[in-house]
Amino acid sequence: MRNPADLGDMAALRAEIDATDKALSALLGHRARLISRAAELKAENGWPARIADRVDEVIANAMAHAEAEGYDPALAETLWRELVEWSIRREETALGRE
C-alpha cells in the first residue's frame, strides 16, 4: 500500500484505489471460503448459523479496528453487519436451514 501523501495526481490516486479494491475483493473471497468452512464445522457439531455472542464480537472487533485505522467506526459497523448477515444466510443455506 502506498502512502496517500505520496500520490501526486489523480491518476496515481485512482490506480491505488483500484489496487486497494482488488485486494479487498481477494480478502472478501477468502472470508467467504472461511464461512463455507465454518458452515461445515457447524453442521458437524449441530451448531446454528447464528451465534449471537459471536456476531456481537465480530461487530465490536470491526469497530475497534476502524478506530485504530482512522476511519469511522459507524461505517465499519454498517459494513460488517451486512457482511455478517450475508455470512449467516450463506451458512443457513449450507446447513439446509434457509
Side-chain angles (χ1 to χ4, degrees):
M1 291 190 298
R2 296 176 62 194
N3 183 336
D6 295 338
L7 302 171
D9 59 37
M10 284 303 292
L13 183 66
R14 287 177 177 156
E16 187 67 12
I17 289 169
D18 291 346
T20 300
D21 288 349
K22 183 176 180 181
L24 285 169
S25 290
L27 289 170
L28 288 169
H30 180 69
R31 192 182 195 286
R33 291 184 293 279
L34 293 171
I35 294 304
S36 294
R37 180 62 179 140
E40 293 171 356
L41 293 172
K42 287 178 178 183
E44 291 172 11
N45 290 285
W47 296 340
R50 180 182 301 278
I51 300 173
D53 289 345
R54 178 61 181 151
V55 170
D56 293 342
E57 179 183 21
V58 169
I59 301 301
N61 286 341
M63 294 175 72
H65 296 317
E67 182 76 28
E69 290 295 330
Y71 74 96
D72 187 358
L75 173 61
E77 180 180 16
T78 298
L79 293 172
W80 260 263
R81 283 200 186 280
E82 183 63 31
L83 183 59
V84 166
E85 290 305 319
W86 177 89
S87 299
I88 290 169
R89 289 190 304 273
R90 183 179 175 104
E91 288 179 3
E92 287 173 341
T93 298
L95 294 168
R97 301 178 191 156
E98 54 180 335

